[in-house]
Amino acid sequence: MTTVHIPVITIDGPTASGKGTVSHLVAQRLGFHYLDSGALYRLTALSALRKGVDLGDEHALAKLARDLQCSFSGEDVFLAHENVSAAIRAEEVGNTASKIAALSTVRQALYRLQLDFRKAPGLVADGRDMGTVIFPHAPLKVFLTASVEARAERRYKQLIGKGFSANMSDLLKDLKERDERDANRTVAPLKPAEGAYVLDTSAMGVDEAVERVLGWYAALKKQHAV
Ligand code: CDP
């Protein structure tokens, strides 16, 4: 069955830009499915760390990604049958995810899995390359960003809220390194997709960002572009 007529909203952006929260809420408001593509990279990273796979062994990492036994239920993420929602949010896992996400074989291994999330009545896809690589024909593409300081502060609150320890200057350093890696990798680098609406949320709350995205989507619907 073809899925090309199922609407997709892509929301890409740098680490800790608030994409996850905004994407979730947009999906909820529209009754759409939600793809957290970062979770797939995090799951692959967690699996590699647990199995002690050499992070230089591209072939073994791609195999892990290809054989990933994951499932999603609401906000919960499962690896095989274990709920790993909290474990995949650890900074070590995020950093490893960002490293292995630079490998083209790992990205290819996760490609098909991501396309399968496109189901009626629609999908909100959150990531780095949703609009540039995975769903390049999506009717609405958004690039969500914020200053590195605003993002570090958000990540700090998020980690503390989840019971992890966090240090602001380490976080800033990590974020900058991750931005650098995401933007400069040769495969699927982080950049706004062609035709993307760019939204800087440095001084904007979640609700306002959600309303903007919904407003763009409603305008497209009115023009019968979705
Ligand atoms: O918010 P944060 O960047 O920490 O994490 P995430 O969105 O859960 O993604 C984890 C890592 O996976 C990121 O640092 C990216 O390097 C990578 N990623 C990617 O390359 N492509 C995607 N579509 C999603 C995530």
Side-chain angles (χ1 to χ4, degrees):
M1 195 193 81
T2 175
T3 58
V4 291
H5 301 298
I6 298 174
V8 178
I9 300 175
T10 61
I11 304 188
D12 290 306
T15 187
S17 54
K19 280 173 299 136
T21 314
V22 171
S23 305
H24 235 107
L25 289 169
V26 170
Q28 226 171 47
R29 290 273 294 272
L30 295 171
F32 281 12
H33 298 279
Y34 170 60
L35 164 62
D36 174 2
S37 61
L40 301 177
Y41 291 92
R42 285 173 179 268
L43 283 163
T44 309
L46 179 68
S47 189
L49 289 169
R50 283 185 173 177
K51 293 189 169 153
V53 171
D54 178 1
L55 297 181
D57 188 345
E58 186 165 350
H59 181 74
L61 291 168
K63 184 166 173 12
L64 267 188
R66 219 173 11 252
D67 298 341
L68 209 58
Q69 294 211 334
C70 63
S71 55
F72 294 81
S73 169
E75 299 207 354
D76 287 328
V77 184
F78 296 85
L79 188 56
H81 295 293
E82 181 191 347
N83 188 332
V84 291
S85 316
I88 60 164
R89 297 292 150 204
E91 279 302 278
E92 188 197 7
V93 177
N95 275 324
T96 306
S98 151
K99 284 177 195 152
I100 66 173
L103 305 171
S104 62
T105 47
V106 170
R107 303 197 75 86
Q108 270 160 25
L110 294 174
Y111 179 72
R112 185 78 240 168
L113 185 58
Q114 296 177 81
L115 295 186
D116 289 344
F117 279 78
R118 188 173 195 169
K119 290 191 186 124
L123 174 70
V124 177
D126 154 2
R128 299 292 191 289
D129 62 342
M130 298 295 98
T132 50
V133 178
I134 309 292
F135 300 109
H137 303 297
L140 176 58
K141 299 175 195 170
V142 178
F143 191 81
L144 210 70
T145 188
S147 69
V148 71
E149 291 78 14
R151 290 186 284 125
E153 204 165 304
R154 287 176 194 167
R155 177 53 50 88
Y156 180 84
K157 286 187 187 149
Q158 189 185 42
L159 286 169
I160 298 291
K162 290 193 167 152
F164 290 109
S165 64
N167 168 297
M168 209 38 193
S169 64
D170 286 352
L171 275 178
L172 259 175
K173 187 170 152 278
D174 271 5
L175 244 63
K176 284 180 185 161
E177 275 174 21
R178 223 183 283 187
D179 280 358
E180 181 79 14
R181 229 180 356 245
D182 283 349
N184 295 320
R185 65 186 178 209
T186 45
V187 42
L190 174 69
K191 60 171 184 209
E194 218 181 292
Y197 290 84
V198 178
L199 188 60
D200 188 324
T201 65
S202 303
M204 189 183 282
V206 168
D207 291 348
E208 193 182 341
V210 170
E211 292 308 325
R212 289 279 188 100
V213 177
L214 289 172
W216 288 326
Y217 188 70
L220 285 173
K221 270 192 103 162
K222 219 168 164 182
Q223 296 162 23
H224 303 288
V226 280

